[in-house]
Amino acid sequence: MELKLLGCAVAVGLVQLLWAAAAARRQQGLVWAAGPRDEPMPISGVAARLDRAFRNFMETFPLFATAVIAAYLAAKLGPLTMWGTALYVIARALYVPIYAAGIARIRSLVWFVAMAGLVMVVAALFR
């Protein structure tokens, strides 16, 4: 189950990447995007929030993936890793629309839930 959830986390990341890129292209235009991008073209609003949400995902996902694979290789999979991976994936999927909508406090709570899931997977390595 944990490896399937890891695959789901990859899908969450791909959706985030495509959503953030589409929102940015709407503001920046395809001509700028197809060019050399020598001059930065800032984004704002929802597009900027989607970009920050994706960057935040990219900060935690390598740690999550490494922890899940390490738990698998160390034969430490069990209820703790299953619930931890589920919490991480579900919370990361919810994080994006909440961040895009600009709901600050709930966004922080959802981020904390995802981090708790990651910590659960890491904790299983030491059991």
Side-chain angles (χ1 to χ4, degrees):
M1 180 57 78
E2 288 86 342
L3 294 178
K4 287 181 183 179
L5 287 167
L6 178 58
C8 290
V10 171
V12 167
L14 287 171
V15 168
Q16 278 191 257
L17 172 63
L18 294 173
W19 193 8
R25 292 307 81 82
R26 280 193 291 277
Q27 286 186 15
Q28 296 166 327
L30 293 176
V31 172
W32 178 84
R37 300 182 188 187
D38 290 335
E39 297 297 322
M41 174 91 53
I43 54 176
S44 61
V46 173
R49 289 194 296 271
L50 289 169
D51 182 64
R52 288 191 300 272
F54 177 68
R55 291 178 191 281
N56 183 270
F57 175 81
M58 292 306 296
E59 290 172 358
T60 64
F61 178 73
L63 301 172
F64 172 73
T66 301
V68 170
I69 293 167
Y72 172 76
L73 293 174
K76 298 284 187 166
L77 299 181
L80 191 60
T81 57
M82 188 191 69
W83 285 107
T85 55
L87 279 177
Y88 179 86
V89 172
I90 292 166
R92 289 310 313 195
L94 292 173
Y95 183 82
V96 183
I98 291 169
Y99 199 159
I103 306 169
R105 288 189 176 101
I106 294 175
R107 179 196 84 215
S108 296
L109 177 63
V110 170
W111 178 88
F112 182 77
V113 169
M115 292 308 295
L118 173 55
V119 168
M120 290 168 69
V121 176
V122 172
L125 290 168
F126 298 98
R127 294 186 89 203

